[in-house]
Amino acid sequence: MYTNNKISKAVRLAIAFGAASATAFTASVNAQEEGAEKVERIEVTGSRIKRTDLETASPISVFTAQDLETAGFATLEKFVQSLPSVNGAAQGSNINNGSNGSATVSLRGLGAGRTLLLVNGRRTAFSDLNAIPMSFVERVEILRDGASTVYGSDAIAGVVNFITKTDFEGAEFVAQYDLTGEGDGETTKLAATVGTSSDKGNVVLSLEYTNRNTIGQKDRDFSKCPLTDDGEGGVECWGSGTNAFGNWTSLTPGSPYAGYVVDPVTGQPRKFNGATDAFNFATASYMVTPQEVFSINTAANYQLTDDTRFFMEGGFTNRQSDQLMGAEGTFWGQIVSADHPNNPIGERLAINRRLEETGGRAFTQDFSDYRMVLGFDGFLSNGWSWDVSYNYTRFVDTRVDFGRANPKRFANLTDPTLCAADALCPGLWNPFVAGTLTPEMIDYAFLPNSPVVRGGTKQFQANLSGDLGSIELPAGPIAWAAGVEKRWEDYLYQPDGAALIGEIYSVAGEKTEGAYDVSEAYLEVSVPLLANLPGVESLNLSAAVRSSNYDFLDSTYNSKIGLEYKPFNGLLIRATRADGFRAPSITELFAPQQESNLSYNEPCIGYGLPGATQSAIVKANCAADGLPAGFTLSSNQSSSITGGNPNLTPEESESLTFGVVYTPDFIENFSVALDYFDIEITNGIGTAGTSNIINGCYESENFSSPLCALLIGAAAIDRIPYPTSPRRDVLGAMSGVLVTNANLSTFNTSGIDFDVNYAFDMAGGRVKLRVDGTYLREYNYQPFAGAELVELAGYYGEDQWEATTAAFAEWRTNMTVGYTTDNWSLNWTARFMSGTDDQTVDLETSTNTSNHAGSVVYHDLQGSYFVDKYTFTMGVRNLFDKQPPYTTNNNDMNTISPSYDLAGTYLYARMVVKF
């Protein structure tokens, strides 16, 4: 049972109204005596002022532990990412190429770094949802408003605050097993939470283990082969031009041999044919990535005196995750000497050969997250409350990648002279035939890559809040809060030893390390302007200001103002305006610069054919590249350079919210809320975007755009260039695209959040209805000064934060209807996302097979049966097995993988035992 009686009233009210528009509340609650009456004061997420009411100027959603159970997910990742206020892309189980194993959240689609993730109101070191065990969470509070004045940097889009079970008594055991309708993707969860109390304090311990098995791209029809348009309104299986028997080009000037293969049947040279020769990388790629997570968490508090309490929190999480992609290829342009005995033309040539004999590129993470909090809180004799705490968090990410090539040794394998000079060379390799790379050659020319990444956050906080005592306005006392914070951040990327000396292809070989600290102070006030007047039940003004002094930046000041107006009981009209600030994160500053293969929209496809829709400037530039009129690509992935930039400066933002909350007296347990939001970000940190850079360059006359300077070319990253264009590799794909972090972008997004909650008794049970939704009115960003505005609301396009394609749906809505009796419950949830169009094409003239991703409704059903201390639950997610749509030009799974359910129907069973 939960023993925090001081907030029991607030909890009951929040549950009764679904808490979607009511304020959140933290476990730090003070009570003071006023005669014989206790006045309950709660701290609301987004404010340090403790108050007696449940409504504030800022819109907040609250989801209880029961809401988490009703959703049926085994981990927090899927629950949080399914919320309507979340948009765009994020790290998670749907991401294979480019994943670091973590799970993140992106409020408003503005990026995970602009959403502040907190645990009990305090920061974490890595912001990985996997590090927060669902069984230890009491509720989740989503602040859908800027909060830089309260929490400092990163809270531009909002705050996700996980409140854990810090005051729990008894024992709870949970076991859950998930399985897809195809019989794969098994997920197992085991959890135990125990707690005990005395009249002085409480101790809670929580253990949780989850294991998620893989689903391969080959295991689903929509993803088992990379698809491309067939030119007739259909699709055909395609793949990568770097294939299993080599796609090669002569390096002899004037030679006709460009884009050739040795026919596997005849043994004769012929032109590469993508329909028959392309490499199907889906057969060795994950669709849903596996992971195993163990966590142990504890919380304790002890009442030292009547007015002073000691509290502590501790946590450890270990995550073992991995990703698997198509085998390494000789993307650097493997040279085959003219005198190689298997050379089909006797000319020196460059071959792009898929090294499929290795089974694929495997990326593994052994990630550990540590967290410790020590503190004191209490209240003074005049009713002022205070707290002081020290928060220490740290992560260590030990990574091992397998299937990494050493180009220097590969050069020996295809040159008789070099091989003879190396006593370790196991013999010449014939790259023109599949399956010829022997185990001895693999041992000779491949290396594991084992870098270590670690970072930490140390945070000291001291807060004081209260009112002015006997100094009151006619409408009531002026409440205030003030505090100071000191934070230290550090980061280290330690490369593998072989990478340090340049022996591993496409791996950062430079150690990067950095640290900074920041000192901050804030002041917040709540002023009651009017009360108990005709047409004015209450009118309150809130304001806050925060000073931030980083050791590598100029001092900054941010402010926020809010207004709460209640014309009569049951109606709240609220508005806020806030300045936001986000300092460059430690990884944005110091992450290593390294190569990544990113998808892009090629501007020169078929540019010279009749009916080609490119502009005259693009056609001229494609011709200047020396590309054939019917130019096509076997793979639209560019070799791009990503990474940190130590010269970054802060982002700034302005946000506005305006809304109403209506809880009529004549309808018990009913509430409805509408909140408009508008966020503008300037000096945004990010990249210009691979497609934006490439297309912006090609749309400028004679390659005159400054963006063209970001196309540093194939030779700059040790790839063989296209014979007539240094910007492209030997297969014709763009190569050497510089997409490192910079202060480039401006963002503007606006829309409306809406939620409805209603609960009533019926037929011996309780009916509960909850609707949460977001209408995205606009989502625009300018990638760099002078660029065209990218309008993404209602479209799918490149997510500027994750550099991957994602849908920015205009409408996202979740609706849950539940019925509960003493012995059983039944819940139905519908998750809706509206359709989107391809932002990168002219929809009127495009001949693509599919420029549209359709709307979707996922239906989830759950039933539970209660017997004494046991709860047995069975459920299904995505009941009707909705499959993701095919979209042209997104050949990783042929769809928009961050935005849709990929696995299909999930069945699950859960048992909970409480003592």
Side-chain angles (χ1 to χ4, degrees):
M1 60 179 280
Y2 298 94
T3 60
N4 193 346
N5 295 322
K6 295 178 180 179
I7 64 170
S8 60
K9 178 181 176 182
V11 172
R12 288 195 301 270
L13 285 170
I15 291 174
F17 291 109
S21 60
T23 59
F25 36 84
T26 70
S28 177
V29 179
N30 291 321
Q32 68 180 43
E33 293 287 345
E34 293 186 4
E37 181 182 9
K38 283 189 176 182
V39 178
E40 297 185 25
R41 296 186 180 274
I42 59 175
E43 183 179 299
V44 176
T45 297
S47 173
R48 299 288 188 187
I49 295 175
K50 293 180 171 62
R51 61 189 71 220
T52 59
D53 59 330
L54 289 174
E55 298 289 357
T56 68
S58 296
I60 300 173
S61 298
V62 180
F63 299 91
T64 66
Q66 182 59 54
D67 294 324
L68 301 183
E69 292 181 5
T70 299
F73 299 110
T75 62
L76 287 170
E77 171 200 333
K78 290 297 186 182
F79 176 82
V80 174
Q81 292 182 358
S82 69
L83 298 178
S85 55
V86 175
N87 224 323
Q91 289 283 312
S93 59
N94 282 14
I95 304 297
N96 183 46
N97 187 357
S99 172
N100 59 17
S102 68
T104 59
V105 56
S106 176
L107 287 174
R108 309 300 187 200
L110 291 173
R114 299 185 181 104
T115 299
L116 182 59
L117 191 151
L118 304 174
V119 176
N120 295 328
R122 299 177 183 86
R123 291 175 178 260
T124 65
F126 197 71
S127 296
D128 182 5
L129 294 173
N130 293 311
I132 305 171
M134 180 181 285
S135 60
F136 195 46
V137 173
E138 183 173 292
R139 62 188 177 276
V140 184
E141 307 172 354
I142 313 291
L143 174 66
R144 309 187 311 272
D145 188 12
S148 293
T149 54
V150 176
Y151 299 112
S153 179
D154 305 333
I156 285 179
V159 178
V160 181
N161 190 9
F162 295 92
I163 305 302
T164 64
K165 297 174 181 177
T166 55
D167 204 354
F168 176 89
E169 184 174 337
E172 180 179 88
F173 303 96
V174 180
Q176 180 168 332
Y177 181 76
D178 298 17
L179 182 71
T180 73
E182 300 291 333
D184 55 13
E186 302 94 331
T187 300
T188 303
K189 172 182 173 180
L190 300 172
T193 303
V194 295
T196 186
S197 297
S198 71
D199 58 352
K200 288 288 190 178
N202 178 268
V203 177
V204 184
L205 175 67
S206 175
L207 303 173
E208 184 170 295
Y209 168 82
T210 60
N211 182 33
R212 182 179 68 218
N213 288 349
T214 184
I215 302 175
Q217 293 185 23
K218 62 182 175 58
D219 297 326
R220 296 294 185 272
D221 288 341
F222 69 86
S223 60
K224 65 183 180 182
C225 180
L227 301 176
T228 190
D229 294 358
D230 62 6
E232 298 178 355
V235 297
E236 59 184 344
C237 186
W238 202 256
S240 170
T242 302
N243 64 3
F245 47 94
N247 186 340
W248 46 270
T249 295
S250 172
L251 299 178
T252 301
S255 174
Y257 294 102
Y260 268 66
V261 299
V262 173
D263 190 285
V265 178
T266 67
Q268 299 301 310
R270 62 167 173 80
K271 287 288 288 184
F272 171 84
N273 180 350
T276 59
D277 301 335
F279 175 73
N280 182 0
F281 50 80
T283 59
S285 297
Y286 290 155
M287 184 182 74
V288 174
T289 58
Q291 69 173 19
E292 190 173 19
V293 180
F294 169 76
S295 65
I296 178 170
N297 286 268
T298 186
N301 60 79
Y302 187 78
Q303 201 74 32
L304 298 173
T305 70
D306 289 343
D307 300 332
T308 304
R309 185 185 70 149
F310 167 76
F311 63 88
M312 63 162 288
E313 301 170 21
F316 169 77
T317 298
N318 177 258
R319 165 174 52 82
Q320 299 189 42
S321 51
D322 63 276
Q323 302 80 44
L324 181 67
M325 294 188 291
E328 183 80 278
T330 60
F331 302 117
W332 57 87
Q334 175 76 13
I335 302 299
V336 181
S337 64
D339 60 345
H340 188 290
N342 302 113
N343 189 317
I345 59 173
E347 298 175 11
R348 186 169 180 264
L349 55 83
I351 186 169
N352 280 43
R353 162 68 146 79
R354 187 69 64 161
L355 309 172
E356 68 168 352
E357 293 90 342
T358 63
R361 285 168 290 173
F363 304 83
T364 70
Q365 302 87 36
D366 192 340
F367 175 91
S368 293
D369 181 279
Y370 308 83
R371 181 174 179 271
M372 179 193 73
V373 177
L374 298 174
F376 298 87
D377 62 12
F379 53 91
L380 306 178
S381 58
N382 62 359
W384 293 1
S385 65
W386 61 271
D387 66 83
V388 59
S389 64
Y390 180 78
N391 175 28
Y392 174 83
T393 67
R394 181 172 182 262
F395 74 89
V396 178
D397 192 359
T398 304
R399 305 175 180 179
V400 182
D401 306 341
F402 300 95
R404 290 290 199 171
N406 180 341
K408 296 177 182 178
R409 288 198 163 184
F410 262 97
N412 297 342
L413 292 175
T414 55
D415 188 310
T417 302
L418 295 176
C419 186
D422 184 357
L424 297 177
C425 182
L428 288 177
W429 169 45
N430 177 8
F432 304 98
V433 177
T436 54
L437 193 68
T438 67
E440 294 77 16
M441 294 175 183
I442 292 174
D443 291 342
Y444 171 75
F446 281 87
L447 292 168
N449 174 45
S450 52
V452 175
V453 185
R454 68 171 183 254
T457 298
K458 293 175 284 187
Q459 180 185 24
F460 171 80
Q461 287 182 320
N463 302 290
L464 183 66
S465 68
D467 57 40
L468 297 183
S470 60
I471 303 176
E472 291 190 13
L473 297 178
I478 298 174
W480 58 271
V484 295
E485 179 177 333
K486 179 76 173 182
R487 195 169 78 251
W488 300 263
E489 305 269 359
D490 63 84
Y491 174 86
L492 168 68
Y493 175 85
Q494 179 63 52
D496 182 277
L500 279 170
I501 57 176
E503 295 295 322
I504 307 178
Y505 174 68
S506 188
V507 172
E510 182 178 353
K511 175 182 177 180
T512 53
E513 186 173 13
Y516 67 75
D517 63 74
V518 55
S519 301
E520 298 181 290
Y522 76 91
L523 174 65
E524 182 183 0
V525 297
S526 178
V527 182
L529 301 178
L530 299 172
N532 301 319
L533 296 175
V536 184
E537 181 176 282
S538 65
L539 178 65
N540 296 329
L541 174 72
S542 59
V545 64
R546 189 181 188 95
S547 168
S548 302
N549 185 12
Y550 286 76
D551 65 358
F552 68 102
L553 300 171
D554 295 333
S555 297
T556 65
Y557 296 88
N558 294 281
S559 61
K560 182 174 183 177
I561 189 168
L563 195 66
E564 305 163 49
Y565 169 48
K566 293 183 179 180
F568 54 84
N569 185 43
L571 179 63
L572 169 67
I573 301 172
R574 59 190 180 189
T576 65
R577 186 202 174 279
D579 297 326
F581 164 82
R582 192 178 79 86
S585 71
I586 199 82
T587 52
E588 288 171 326
L589 291 165
F590 304 116
Q593 296 189 0
Q594 56 189 347
E595 184 178 337
S596 181
N597 296 308
L598 303 178
S599 297
Y600 75 100
N601 290 294
E602 170 59 54
C604 294
I605 297 293
Y607 75 95
L609 300 177
T613 59
Q614 290 93 333
S615 68
I617 291 176
V618 171
K619 291 178 179 179
N621 285 335
C622 296
D625 263 354
L627 303 176
F631 176 73
T632 188
L633 283 175
S634 55
S635 175
N636 66 328
Q637 287 188 326
S638 67
S639 50
S640 303
I641 306 299
T642 64
N645 178 357
N647 299 315
L648 296 172
T649 57
E651 298 180 343
E652 297 179 351
S653 72
E654 293 182 1
S655 63
L656 172 71
T657 68
F658 177 82
V660 295
V661 181
Y662 185 43
T663 55
D665 292 337
F666 57 86
I667 305 178
E668 187 177 358
N669 298 328
F670 174 83
S671 70
V672 59
L674 291 173
D675 287 285
Y676 171 80
F677 66 89
D678 189 304
I679 304 172
E680 182 179 352
I681 301 173
T682 56
N683 208 36
I685 298 170
T687 74
T690 307
S691 289
N692 294 327
I693 293 170
I694 294 170
N695 286 276
C697 174
Y698 274 77
E699 288 167 358
S700 65
E701 190 169 357
N702 297 319
F703 300 105
S704 57
S705 170
L707 290 175
C708 297
L710 300 177
L711 303 178
I712 60 177
I717 58 172
D718 298 325
R719 292 197 179 195
I720 302 297
Y722 195 79
T724 56
S725 174
R727 286 173 286 273
R728 299 174 178 272
D729 65 21
V730 69
L731 294 181
M734 300 302 301
S735 189
V737 185
L738 197 62
V739 287
T740 51
N741 293 325
N743 291 101
L744 296 170
S745 308
T746 62
F747 292 83
N748 183 248
T749 183
S750 64
I752 297 174
D753 294 327
F754 54 92
D755 47 70
V756 179
N757 289 266
Y758 186 34
F760 58 92
D761 294 331
M762 185 181 74
R766 184 78 164 170
V767 177
K768 182 178 177 181
L769 167 69
R770 176 167 186 158
V771 177
D772 297 277
T774 296
Y775 167 66
L776 184 63
R777 176 175 171 267
E778 63 178 347
Y779 185 103
N780 304 330
Y781 77 90
Q782 188 178 35
F784 47 88
E788 291 187 10
L789 200 65
V790 178
E791 300 180 4
L792 279 174
Y795 293 88
Y796 60 86
E798 184 170 3
D799 183 287
Q800 186 268 348
W801 188 269
E802 294 291 345
T804 190
T805 299
F808 291 79
E810 287 186 333
W811 293 94
R812 294 194 68 186
T813 304
N814 294 344
M815 181 175 71
T816 298
V817 179
Y819 182 72
T820 302
T821 71
D822 291 338
N823 299 319
W824 58 273
S825 69
L826 185 66
N827 292 281
W828 166 71
T829 299
R831 296 176 281 130
F832 171 74
M833 182 176 71
S834 60
T836 53
D837 295 319
D838 191 342
Q839 182 271 331
T840 64
V841 302
D842 186 330
L843 297 174
E844 294 184 358
T845 61
S846 173
T847 60
N848 290 340
T849 296
S850 176
N851 295 320
H852 179 73
S855 62
V856 65
V857 180
Y858 298 110
H859 296 271
D860 306 332
L861 191 63
Q862 180 190 95
S864 296
Y865 184 65
F866 316 123
V867 181
D868 296 328
K869 301 173 182 178
Y870 298 88
T871 300
F872 301 95
T873 300
M874 297 190 70
V876 56
R877 302 190 300 271
N878 191 359
L879 175 64
F880 299 111
D881 198 27
K882 290 286 187 179
Q883 299 295 298
Y886 168 74
T887 55
T888 298
N889 291 332
N890 293 288
N891 64 350
D892 187 17
M893 307 187 210
N894 306 309
T895 190
I896 310 171
S897 59
S899 303
Y900 287 86
D901 283 10
L902 299 179
T905 297
Y906 253 109
L907 308 169
Y908 64 91
R910 180 174 64 228
M911 182 178 70
V912 179
V913 185
K914 295 183 179 181
F915 298 96

